[in-house]
Amino acid sequence: MIKTLTRQIREFKLPSLLTPVSMVGEVFCEMLIPVLMGRIVDEGIYGGNFSYIVSTGLKMLAIALLGLFFGIMGGFFGAKASAGFAKNLRKAMFDNIQTFSFSNIDHFSPSSLVTRLTTDVTNIQNAYMMILRMAVRGPMSMVIAMIMATVISPRIASIYLIAVLLLGCFMIFMMGTTNRYFHQVFEKYDELNASVEENVTAVRVVKSYVREDYEIGKFQKASLNIYRLFCRAELRLALVNPAMNAAVYGCILLISWAGAHMIISRTLTTGELMSLLAYCMNILMSLMMLAMVFVMITLSEASAKRIAEVIEEKSEIRNPENPVMRVPDGSVEFRQVDFAYDRGAGKPVLREINLSIRSGESVGIIGATGSAKSSLVSLISRLYDVTAGEVLVGGIDVRNYDLEVLRDQVSVVLQKNTLFSGTIYDNLRWGDPKATDEECRRACRLACADEFIDKMPEGYNTWIEQGGANVSGGQRQRLCIARALLKKPKILILDDSTSAVDTATDAKIRKAFAEEIPDTTRIIIAQRISSVQDCDRIIVMEDGTISGFGTHEEMLRTNAIYREIYESQTGAGSDADFDRKE
Ligand SMILES: Nc1ncnc2c1ncn2[C@@H]1O[C@H](COP(=O)(O)OP(=O)(O)OP(=O)(O)O)[C@@H](O)[C@H]1O
Ligand SMILES: [Mg+2]
C-alpha cells in the first residue's frame, strides 16, 4: 500500500526533500537564538557592555530572518509537494477507474469512489504536508533543545525529561481514544455521500413520490452521526491544550525555582536561566507537534488504504497478449455458456447457453423481466466475461480480440443508456469522433431522431444537459441508437432501446434498419412482441435459459411462454398498440 502511494510522488520528490531540509535550517536558527539571548543578558547587561548587546542583537535579528526564510521555504515546498502528490493520486485513481470493467464498477459504489477521490485525497494531502514539515522538525528540535539544555544545566534538563515523559504518556492515551472516533467518522462520511448522491441523481423520483421528508430524515441522521462523533473526538482533543499548558507552566515554575537557587549559589547565570526557559517551550511545543503528526498519520491511514484499493484494483477484462485486430463478420455463437455476477461467485444468472446467430441476421430476444436478457447480450461485447464456456464473434472467442476493436464492431445501446452534457453532435460523435455532419444526420434518420431534432430551434447544435435531462425518454433512446449506429458496427444490440418510443416509430426504425443496414447483425431485446415479431428469429428467455429459438410462427406454435406473451399483448381488450399513429 505504502509503495503504491509513494510511487505517486514522482515529479514532486525534490520539493518533498527540500521541505524537511528547510525545516532543519529553521530548527538550527531557532536553537541559536536562546543561546545568544542568554549571552546578551550575562555579558551585555550584567557586564555593562553596550556594543556587545548591539552586535549580538543584530546577529539575533539576522538569524531570526534566516529562520523565517527557511520557515517560508519549508511552507512553500511543503505545499507544492503535498498538492502535487494529491494531484497525482487523483489522476492515478481516475485513470484506473477508466480501465474498470463492469464487474469492477459493481464492486465500488459511485459514492465511495467520489469520497475516495475527494475527502480521502485531501486527508492524505494534509497528512503529507504535516509529515514533511513536522516529522523531521519535531524530533530534531526536541533533541537539540534537550542537548543544549543539558550542556547548560543537567539538573534542570532532568525536569524537562520528566515533563516530556508525563505529557507523552497523556498524549498517547488521548490519541488512542480519539483515533477510534475519527476512524468511525470516515465510515460515516461514506454513508453521507451515498445519501447525497442517491438523492441528487434521483431527485425527480424523490419529488414525484413526495419522499423529500424521508430523504431529509435520512440525510439528517447521517449528518448527525458525523456531528456526534466529531464532538466526541474533538472533546478529547480539547483536553490536550490545557494539559499542554499545565506542563509548560509547571515546568517554568520548577525551572524558575530551581534556577533561582542555582543563581544564588552561583552555579547558573541569569542568562542561562533565560535560555533554559526558552528551550523548555521548544521541547514541549515539539512534543505537541509530534503528537499532531501521529494523529494525522493514523487518521490518514484509513484514507490511504481506501485510495490504494482503487489504484491497485486490476481490471478483470484486459486485452490478451496478441489481440485479434479484425472482426471477420457479424456472426455470434454461445457454446455451453454459464455466467454469474460478482466475479463468477454469485448465483448463476445464465446456464448452459448454446446458440448460433448468423452474420446479418436479425434476432429478437423476449422474456420476463429478470430472465437475464441483458446479461446474455452483455457477454457479446465482453462487458462481462463468461464464468464457463465461450462466446464467439465472427468465429473467434471474444477474449482473443482487442477490446476496442471488439466494442467498435459490437455496438450496444444499453438498457440504462445515458447522454452527456454537450451538443447533439458532440453526443453522436461518441460513436465516431470523425463522423461528418452528413453521417450524423443519416444515423439520426435511421433512428428516426431527425424528426424531433429538426423541430428544435438549434437543431443538431442543441445543448443536451447532463444525463440527457432536457430530452424525453423516447428522444433519448433514439439519440442513443443513432450514436450506436455511427460506429458502423457489424453487430448492433438494442437492449430495450425503443421501450419509450411509440410503436409506429419503432416499426419505422426497424424498417430503416432492414433496408439500410441489412448486413449488420441486429439483436433486439424488447418487451413488445410487435418489436421482435418480424425478426428472422426470436429467442425466448426463461430464468437464465433459452426456452425457444425460431421464427415468430414457430415460436407461436411450439413455445408456451411466447404464446402467452403474444396473447396478453394482442388479445381481446388489449390496448397494447393504442399509441399507433394511423
Ligand atoms: N450488475 C449486477 N450485479 C449482480 N446481479 C445482477 C446485475 N445485473 C443483473 N443482475 C441479476 O441478474 C439477473 C438477470 O438480470 P438481467 O438484467 O439480465 O435481466 P433482464 O432480462 O434484462 O431484465 P429486464 O427485462 O428487466 O431488463 C437478475 O436476477 C438480476 O438481479
Ligand atoms: Mg434488461
Side-chain angles (χ1 to χ4, degrees), residues 182-439:
F182 275 126
H183 271 294
Q184 289 173 10
V185 165
F186 288 112
E187 276 162 32
K188 297 285 171 202
Y189 262 130
D190 253 2
E191 254 173 55
L192 187 77
N193 280 354
S195 157
V196 172
E197 208 231 33
E198 198 173 37
N199 176 284
V200 174
T201 47
V203 68
R204 286 158 216 270
V205 184
V206 172
K207 292 220 163 289
S208 62
Y209 279 83
V210 205
R211 296 274 284 181
E212 289 98 329
D213 286 344
Y214 171 80
E215 287 290 317
I216 290 172
K218 196 163 89 180
F219 179 82
Q220 285 271 37
K221 212 171 118 199
S223 178
L224 209 65
N225 268 334
I226 293 182
Y227 160 78
R228 287 211 186 103
L229 285 171
F230 254 122
C231 277
R232 272 185 221 155
E234 297 289 348
L235 212 65
R236 275 158 186 75
L237 278 186
L239 286 179
V240 170
N241 249 345
M244 178 76 198
N245 283 339
V248 170
Y249 292 117
C251 270
I252 289 178
L253 218 67
L254 272 176
I255 292 167
S256 304
W257 181 76
H261 277 277
M262 288 168 77
I263 290 174
I264 291 168
S265 63
R266 302 225 167 252
T267 44
L268 193 77
T269 65
T270 317
E272 282 171 343
L273 179 65
M274 288 191 68
S275 308
L276 284 172
L277 286 174
Y279 286 129
C280 165
M281 284 299 274
N282 257 323
I283 291 172
L284 295 176
M285 284 302 277
S286 310
L287 189 67
M288 179 91 156
M289 271 179 210
L290 270 184
M292 296 281 277
V293 170
F294 276 118
V295 170
M296 281 309 251
I297 291 178
T298 37
L299 269 190
S300 56
E301 201 185 296
S303 292
K305 226 180 260 161
R306 290 154 51 89
I307 291 174
E309 252 173 35
V310 178
I311 299 180
E312 283 166 2
E313 175 90 3
K314 290 262 180 309
S315 171
E316 264 142 59
I317 296 184
R318 265 168 296 167
N319 265 342
E321 289 276 322
N322 294 307
V324 180
M325 299 303 284
R326 211 180 72 82
V327 180
D329 61 53
S331 64
V332 177
E333 198 179 335
F334 280 64
R335 285 189 194 151
Q336 287 293 342
V337 169
D338 285 343
F339 173 65
Y341 284 101
D342 204 10
R343 301 168 181 189
K347 95 179 181 2
V349 172
L350 287 166
R351 283 178 307 273
E352 286 188 39
I353 302 288
N354 284 297
L355 78 100
S356 169
I357 297 170
R358 290 184 297 274
S359 185
E361 197 175 0
S362 69
V363 173
I365 303 180
I366 206 156
T369 58
S371 56
K373 304 181 292 295
S374 302
S375 310
L376 181 82
V377 296
S378 69
L379 301 178
I380 303 175
S381 60
R382 217 183 154 206
L383 299 178
Y384 291 94
D385 268 343
V386 295
T387 314
E390 52 184 349
V391 176
L392 299 99
V393 167
I396 299 167
D397 191 319
V398 286
R399 284 169 292 197
N400 295 334
Y401 281 111
D402 177 74
L403 267 180
E404 207 175 315
V405 169
L406 177 72
R407 289 187 186 158
D408 270 345
Q409 292 304 319
V410 182
S411 194
V412 192
V413 180
L414 294 174
Q415 191 167 17
K416 291 180 201 142
N417 58 43
T418 185
L419 295 170
F420 293 83
S421 43
T423 64
I424 291 186
Y425 272 138
D426 294 340
N427 268 287
L428 291 172
R429 288 193 177 116
W430 275 65
D432 174 9
K434 290 196 276 297
T436 61
D437 288 2
E438 188 39 52
E439 282 171 315

Side-chain angles (χ1 to χ4, degrees), residues 158-177:
S158 61
I159 297 178
Y160 294 152
L161 211 58
I162 294 167
V164 165
L165 284 179
L166 283 179
L167 203 59
C169 289
F170 172 73
M171 296 255 189
I172 288 171
F173 168 73
M174 288 316 284
M175 265 155 33
T177 50

Side-chain angles (χ1 to χ4, degrees), residues 12 88 503 531 572:
F12 297 99
N88 285 349
T503 39
S531 302

